[in-house]
Amino acid sequence: MIPTIIVVAVIVIALVYLSQVYADVLWYDQLGYLEVFITENLSRIALFLAAFLVMASAVYFSLRIAYRSRPIYAPDSAIQDNLNRYQAQLEPIRRLLMLGIPLVLGAFAGTAASSQWQQVLLFINQEPFGSQDPEFGIDYAFYMFSLPFFGFLTGFLLSVVIISAIASVLTHYLYGGIRLEEKGVFTTKAARVQIAVVAALFLLLQGVNYWLDRYATLQGQGRWAGALYTDVNAVIPTKAILAVAAVIVAVLFIVSVIVGRWRLPVIGTAMLIITALLAGGVYPWVVQRFQVVPSELTLEGEYIDRNIALTREAYGLNEVKVSAYNPIDVPEAGALGDEGETTTNIRLLDPNLVSDAFSQLQQFRQYYQFPETLNVDRYEIDGEIQDTVIAVRELDTSGVPAGWVNEHVFYTHGYGVVAAAGSTVQPDGRPEFLQAGIPSTGVLGDESTYEPRIYFGEESPVYSVVGAPEGTAPSEIDRPQSENSDNESRSTFVGNGGPMVGNAFNRLVYALKFQSTDLLLSDQVNSESQILYDRDPVERVEKVAPYLTLDGNSYPAIVDGRVKWIIDGYTTSADFPYSTQQELESATQDSQTAEGFSTALPAEQVNYIRNAVKATVDAYDGTVELFAWDDEDPILKSWQNVYPSSIKPYSEMSADLMAHVRYPEDLFKVQRELLARYHVTETEPFYSNNEAWSVPGDPTLGSESTVRQPPFYLTLQMPEQDAAAFSLTTPFIPFVPVGQEPRNVLYGFLAANGDAGTGEDGVKSEDYGRLTLLDSSGQDSTVGPGQAQNLFNSDTTVSQDLNLLRQGASEVINGNLLTLPIGGGIAYVQPVYVQSSGSSSFPVLRRVLVSFGDDVGFAPTLDEALDQVFGGDSGATTGDSENVGETPDDPAAPPEEGGTPPAEGDGGAPPVAPGGTTDDPAADLRTALDDASAAVTEGNAALAEGDFAAYGEAQDRLNDALQRALAAEERVSAGAGG
């Protein structure tokens, strides 16, 4: 029975494994990327077989030759008696061992080699860079593609030789070919010959390693990356000497086989070891210690210049436009009159804070959800480009009734794009929605102009079964018939979104894959059913482009009538000569990754990175498209040689898609980390590091925070630029040594132009990706982000008003602190949100903080806050300027003669609660606070009873009372002379 059970188990395991392979074939084939699956797996198989055969053959023949050449008669001794006993015990399984050991070792070697499939394919399909390194004059492609492959190959062959040598020596010893005697070690001629050949092979490979190490010095990571003075003048020459010496000693071993004398190879080996110690270790140390250290700047200057130039080239920093910027500290009235494109788009909605507002106002059903952090994009509205905060309404499986049919057949997709203006809000502080509702409507389109159903997203179910024969009644829950309807409409997926599971065999395959008998037995699976899985956009791109490192933030956009996820893909390497390495995970961490709002890149060391690919994933049918964005990148061109049909040229991108491409966040984070030091291009200040900068900590997390502030997307017109552009921005402060307090003065400001569109299909803007750096380090008094936050926190008027906003158990939340080079100086803008207590509450924008130099503005609107700072009239046009006079500072004030109070839902102030205003502002303040307290009590009671309508009314009364309290407090302060 045991053999039968083993055979059955092997068959079952093989069937399960093959079913998974078949499922992958179906998935890749349906998506149109079968060549990726086939190329990768054939490469892995070929490498496995090659390495397996080389290792297994080498070990097998080593064992066999050693066994066949064993001495027939050996002198009797106690040691030989023991060996004879071992031989007798091994004899019954000797044949099995002589086959099994090579097979096992071959399998290990094949598995290790197969993991290097990308390196091998790049070597075979490499493209030249067209530029040469400054030391050897060799094209960079040699260091990026050839040198890693040669290193892998020699390392593998060395392991084969070493393992074969161990196998042969142990066999010779076991069968008497090598014996330990009183006079020393006795070896047979056959053993000596075999050992000499193996030693010669080892030394030849070691000689190749020494020779390759000469080139690898250019990839070294010391104080400065690349080959420095000691490397060039001591290490590289000695590596060449050692390579020649290793080859000579290898020849001596071969000669010893012929002449039968071992003295020369033994002496040669000893000399090689001594030379390696002296020339490879002692001599470079002497040069470094006694020649370089006393005159380091003089001797290392040339190599520091190489490091600066090639690091900037490897990270795309060699064309940064640097401009001196001397910010003024005193704001001037009307200074923002020419900054209209910037001030109109100053973003007041913080995408990290408004998710709850989207959920409360636009979710409509428990089976919908929005992500914790939203995305920033831009759309053309009424002929003007407007920044928007955007998200898709995805399916929430935790809100779906339990049961396989509900979870995998009925509830299959989310619905609709929700977008709000980034630079304005409603007068009551809620988002100003541009696209919202069910059915989806707004300035971005409706169901007749774009497909709103979200089958593929960041929170989609593990798998769904969709599709039905024509004429079949729809079964999928589509959406509520309207926002206030209790009934859901139903629909059927139409398109090609996943492999077919209409036949019994495919159903069995996927039942095994997802370990679901329901999938196999359910009558909900029909002849036209498709199975949708691997639905996260990043996960889909990872599978079809395994050679890319993907940005941690994918974002949705309405493009050509479809919702598409846009993902940035990077080609990376750690082998670029003279370039400083960065760990991607460390470089891309900031306050957003720390709080789980976004994902940092993997912990991978790189010294070369390019945004080579723009990828899109259709949210309806999951179609993946890869566009060669940086079509001059040699790494990408090499992968295009590998996969000639999977990557499209960017000339095939539509104008609509181009308009929503943006500069990628993670690339920008890596670049700003390097630029903090490598903005310095002169040798002496770079050497002394006295002009280095740092990325500031996020001031919204507290003055002690060392977690980096994230970069922000803003539509911004930089000084000396002709027009505003959608840009990714970050400030810099002076370098902060570990353990020291930062000096929070502004030293620099970096902006990356993210506008790729030109209005034409397949035409990229020449300005896209241009990095502009404002250098203000010449003056040491410009307020930095941390100082601006401290100004806000310490301002007496601001503190009093914030304390009022905290009445009634409300929480005040500071939004993102934006840095803006406007008005000839540096302005900081921070939205202030208030969130009342209660499970259904959400942050509402109530105030805007502005600073310029030491001046602080704090008002219900950005327009008013800017006016406070800039002498009563900033001259700015802001997105919320129409809200001035409408923001409910004093909603109880009577309407103008002939007018009527704004009705709830009309975009005006909430209904006026009891209390009104009198001639006694102190009494009004007390009344308003009493009303607020009563509203909190009533709201909590309503919430406890589950009466959400009453709770909402109480929240409106609470907000109204707080606004009246603020207005009364201002009147009290004014009456007391400020």
Side-chain angles (χ1 to χ4, degrees):
M1 289 296 293
I2 292 177
T4 302
I5 292 172
I6 293 174
V7 170
V8 170
V10 169
I11 292 174
V12 169
I13 293 171
L15 285 175
V16 172
Y17 174 76
L18 291 175
S19 71
Q20 304 312 303
V21 174
Y22 179 66
D24 285 340
V25 170
L26 291 178
W27 189 89
Y28 280 95
D29 186 48
Q30 180 274 324
L31 207 52
Y33 288 88
L34 187 58
E35 73 165 351
V36 174
F37 179 80
I38 291 175
T39 301
E40 176 181 341
N41 284 280
L42 287 182
S43 300
R44 287 180 178 274
I45 291 171
L47 282 172
F48 177 89
L49 291 176
F52 173 84
L53 289 174
V54 171
M55 178 65 81
S57 299
V59 174
Y60 174 76
F61 284 111
S62 294
L63 292 171
R64 187 169 180 81
I65 291 170
Y67 175 77
R68 289 172 65 91
S69 62
R70 67 193 185 282
I72 302 302
Y73 302 103
D76 293 333
S77 66
I79 296 177
Q80 186 61 40
D81 289 341
N82 289 332
L83 291 177
N84 287 337
R85 284 196 294 272
Y86 292 143
Q87 294 169 12
Q89 292 173 355
L90 288 174
E91 189 59 28
I93 58 172
R94 177 180 57 79
R95 293 177 181 273
L96 179 62
L97 290 175
M98 292 189 71
L99 285 175
I101 291 174
L103 291 176
V104 171
L105 293 174
F108 280 115
T111 302
S114 67
S115 66
Q116 303 299 313
W117 66 276
Q118 293 191 13
Q119 196 174 81
V120 174
L121 288 180
L122 282 176
F123 170 74
I124 296 171
N125 297 277
Q126 64 181 274
E127 286 281 332
F129 276 70
S131 299
Q132 292 76 39
D133 78 88
E135 180 60 32
F136 296 103
I138 302 175
D139 191 278
Y140 296 150
F142 170 78
Y143 299 93
M144 302 285 277
F145 307 130
S146 299
L147 191 57
F149 172 76
F150 292 148
F152 154 68
L153 187 60
T154 54
F156 170 73
L157 293 177
L158 276 170
S159 67
V160 170
V161 170
I162 292 171
I163 292 174
S164 299
I166 294 172
S168 63
V169 168
L170 289 176
T171 304
H172 277 298
Y173 177 76
L174 183 62
Y175 287 96
I178 299 175
R179 297 196 302 274
L180 301 176
E181 298 180 346
E182 292 182 2
K183 297 179 181 180
V185 180
F186 170 81
T187 59
T188 64
K189 181 180 180 180
R192 290 197 299 272
V193 169
Q194 189 169 1
I195 292 172
V197 170
V198 171
L201 290 174
F202 175 82
L203 288 168
L204 285 173
L205 291 171
Q206 192 61 43
V208 173
N209 254 351
Y210 281 135
W211 191 259
L212 294 177
D213 284 347
R214 298 164 61 248
Y215 304 107
T217 56
L218 273 65
Q219 300 166 329
Q221 299 294 317
R223 185 175 177 186
W224 302 284
L228 304 178
Y229 181 88
T230 300
D231 298 310
V232 171
N233 294 279
V235 175
I236 291 176
T238 56
K239 291 290 185 182
I241 294 170
L242 288 171
V244 174
V247 173
I248 293 173
V249 177
V251 173
L252 293 177
F253 270 99
I254 299 299
V255 171
S256 72
V257 172
I258 299 172
V259 302
R261 296 180 180 178
W262 287 76
R263 178 172 296 179
L264 286 178
V266 170
I267 293 173
T269 301
M271 291 300 296
L272 181 61
I273 294 172
I274 294 172
T275 303
L277 292 174
L278 294 177
V282 176
Y283 176 57
W285 179 84
V286 171
V287 171
Q288 179 69 26
R289 177 63 186 84
F290 296 102
Q291 190 173 352
V292 175
V293 172
S295 307
E296 189 171 53
L297 179 59
T298 302
L299 297 181
E300 301 286 30
E302 175 186 357
Y303 308 105
I304 293 174
D305 288 343
R306 293 179 181 182
N307 171 239
I308 294 172
L310 293 188
T311 296
R312 288 170 64 92
E313 181 177 347
Y315 289 94
L317 302 173
N318 50 330
E319 295 184 2
V320 175
K321 181 182 178 182
V322 181
S323 301
Y325 188 62
N326 299 314
I328 63 174
D329 294 331
V330 180
E332 300 176 359
L336 305 185
D338 295 329
E339 308 271 7
E341 287 189 275
T342 298
T343 57
T344 301
N345 281 292
I346 293 176
R347 184 167 44 76
L348 300 179
L349 278 194
D350 185 340
N352 297 325
L353 296 180
V354 297
S355 176
D356 287 346
F358 274 51
S359 297
Q360 291 297 325
L361 301 174
Q362 290 294 320
Q363 184 169 315
F364 301 123
R365 287 291 192 273
Q366 81 281 0
Y367 52 80
Y368 287 141
Q369 64 176 319
F370 290 98
E372 285 188 45
T373 184
L374 310 185
N375 285 286
V376 179
D377 200 356
R378 70 281 194 205
Y379 287 84
E380 184 175 344
I381 300 171
D382 297 329
E384 299 289 335
I385 300 298
Q386 183 168 342
D387 289 2
T388 60
V389 175
I390 190 169
V392 294
R393 193 184 285 112
E394 291 203 54
L395 183 65
D396 182 3
T397 53
S398 65
V400 171
W404 184 86
V405 173
N406 274 330
E407 294 171 0
H408 298 288
V409 179
F410 286 173
Y411 293 89
T412 59
H413 61 276
Y415 177 88
V417 168
V418 178
S423 59
T424 188
V425 294
Q426 294 183 16
D428 64 356
R430 301 185 184 197
E432 182 71 44
F433 289 109
L434 304 173
Q435 186 75 25
I438 291 181
S440 181
T441 57
V443 296
L444 308 186
D446 54 35
E447 287 195 6
S448 66
T449 61
Y450 89 99
E451 174 54 68
R453 292 161 186 85
I454 311 298
Y455 282 90
F456 292 83
E458 296 173 324
E459 301 296 336
S460 295
V462 175
Y463 73 91
S464 294
V465 178
V466 300
E470 188 175 351
T472 304
S475 61
E476 299 175 45
I477 304 295
D478 188 29
R479 58 170 175 80
Q481 293 182 357
S482 65
E483 295 175 5
N484 300 315
S485 173
D486 292 331
N487 299 317
E488 275 78 17
S489 61
R490 293 182 178 257
S491 66
T492 298
F493 177 85
V494 178
N496 184 17
M500 300 296 296
V501 287
N503 62 70
F505 183 74
N506 284 8
R507 290 175 69 173
L508 175 61
V509 166
Y510 282 103
L512 289 172
K513 180 177 179 64
F514 293 109
Q515 301 178 14
S516 170
T517 56
D518 297 297
L519 183 58
L520 183 64
L521 303 175
S522 175
D523 60 359
Q524 296 293 327
V525 184
N526 56 68
S527 60
E528 298 297 321
S529 289
Q530 303 173 42
I531 185 166
L532 312 182
Y533 63 99
D534 289 341
R535 299 162 75 174
D536 183 278
V538 172
E539 184 178 331
R540 289 178 80 78
V541 176
E542 281 177 341
K543 291 188 68 173
V544 303
Y547 47 86
L548 294 177
T549 299
L550 300 183
D551 195 273
N553 187 16
S554 58
Y555 60 99
I558 299 178
V559 175
D560 300 319
R562 312 282 285 197
V563 178
K564 293 195 175 182
W565 296 92
I566 303 175
I567 303 106
D568 287 283
Y570 308 117
T571 50
T572 61
S573 174
D575 300 313
F576 199 84
Y578 276 104
S579 178
T580 298
Q581 287 189 359
Q582 284 281 94
E583 188 191 54
L584 292 180
E585 182 180 38
S586 174
T588 55
Q589 285 179 340
D590 57 24
S591 60
Q592 288 186 312
T593 61
E595 296 181 12
F597 292 143
S598 63
T599 304
L601 292 181
E604 174 186 353
Q605 292 284 347
V606 306
N607 66 359
Y608 175 95
I609 186 169
R610 288 290 186 273
N611 180 204
V613 170
K614 299 288 186 183
T616 65
V617 177
D618 192 296
Y620 183 77
D621 62 16
T623 299
V624 178
E625 292 183 294
L626 306 176
F627 297 97
W629 188 248
D630 187 349
D631 53 4
E632 297 300 318
D633 174 33
I635 297 181
L636 179 63
K637 291 164 74 174
S638 300
W639 282 117
Q640 287 179 293
N641 293 337
V642 177
Y643 302 118
S645 63
S646 67
I647 306 175
K648 301 177 181 180
Y650 75 79
S651 59
E652 295 186 19
M653 296 173 71
S654 69
D656 201 8
L657 177 56
M658 283 278 196
H660 292 285
V661 165
R662 68 189 191 187
Y663 201 81
E665 286 186 69
D666 285 335
L667 173 61
F668 187 77
K669 291 177 186 179
V670 173
Q671 288 177 319
R672 72 173 181 176
E673 193 70 15
L674 264 297
L675 201 60
R677 187 177 186 194
Y678 283 87
H679 69 278
V680 180
T681 57
E682 297 179 1
T683 309
E684 186 172 350
F686 184 87
Y687 170 81
S688 61
N689 204 37
N690 58 11
E691 294 184 12
W693 299 343
S694 293
V695 178
D698 191 339
T700 63
L701 300 182
S703 59
E704 302 297 323
S705 174
T706 58
V707 181
R708 297 184 193 92
Q709 185 182 37
F712 296 119
Y713 286 105
L714 299 168
T715 294
L716 177 69
Q717 183 175 353
M718 293 284 282
E720 301 181 5
Q721 285 188 348
D722 297 331
F726 186 72
S727 304
L728 192 54
T729 65
T730 191
F732 291 103
I733 62 173
F735 175 69
V736 184
V738 177
Q740 294 189 17
E741 289 292 326
R743 286 196 310 122
N744 240 301
V745 293
L746 191 78
Y747 264 22
F749 181 84
L750 178 67
N753 188 315
D755 275 336
T758 60
E760 299 181 44
D761 293 342
V763 179
K764 187 195 306 186
S765 170
E766 293 181 357
D767 292 329
Y768 172 84
R770 181 170 296 169
L771 297 172
T772 303
L773 178 63
L774 302 181
D775 185 349
S776 60
S777 57
Q779 57 186 69
D780 207 24
S781 60
T782 304
V783 172
Q787 288 183 346
Q789 189 69 62
N790 287 334
L791 283 173
F792 295 154
N793 295 342
S794 60
D795 187 275
T796 305
T797 302
V798 173
S799 298
Q800 290 176 350
D801 287 351
L802 291 179
N803 287 333
L804 282 173
L805 290 173
R806 293 187 180 99
Q807 296 291 331
S810 294
E811 179 185 6
V812 174
I813 306 171
N814 289 330
N816 43 210
L817 182 66
L818 306 180
T819 306
L820 300 162
I822 56 176
I826 297 292
Y828 293 93
V829 176
Q830 185 175 53
V832 177
Y833 292 80
V834 176
Q835 182 170 5
S836 59
S837 60
S839 59
S840 61
S841 64
F842 55 87
V844 176
L845 182 65
R846 286 303 186 197
R847 290 290 187 272
V848 180
L849 283 162
V850 173
S851 75
F852 190 100
D854 293 328
D855 293 88
V856 173
F858 186 58
T861 66
L862 174 62
D863 189 75
E864 293 172 295
L866 288 172
D867 284 344
Q868 289 178 8
V869 171
F870 286 88
D873 182 12
S874 67
T877 301
T878 64
D880 67 348
S881 54
E882 294 185 2
N883 286 358
V884 176
E886 296 184 22
T887 304
D889 280 341
D890 192 2
E896 296 181 6
E897 187 175 351
T900 56
E904 184 176 11
D906 289 344
V912 177
T917 60
T918 69
D919 293 333
D920 184 357
D924 290 343
L925 177 59
R926 288 192 296 271
T927 301
L929 294 179
D930 289 341
D931 291 343
S933 178
V936 170
T937 302
E938 293 170 7
N940 290 337
L943 191 62
E945 297 175 2
D947 189 345
F948 293 103
Y951 177 76
E953 293 174 0
Q955 291 300 300
D956 287 337
R957 291 196 298 276
L958 173 61
N959 291 333
D960 168 70
L962 291 176
Q963 294 297 334
R964 288 188 286 110
L966 286 171
E969 192 273 339
E970 291 176 0
R971 292 164 60 206
V972 170
S973 299

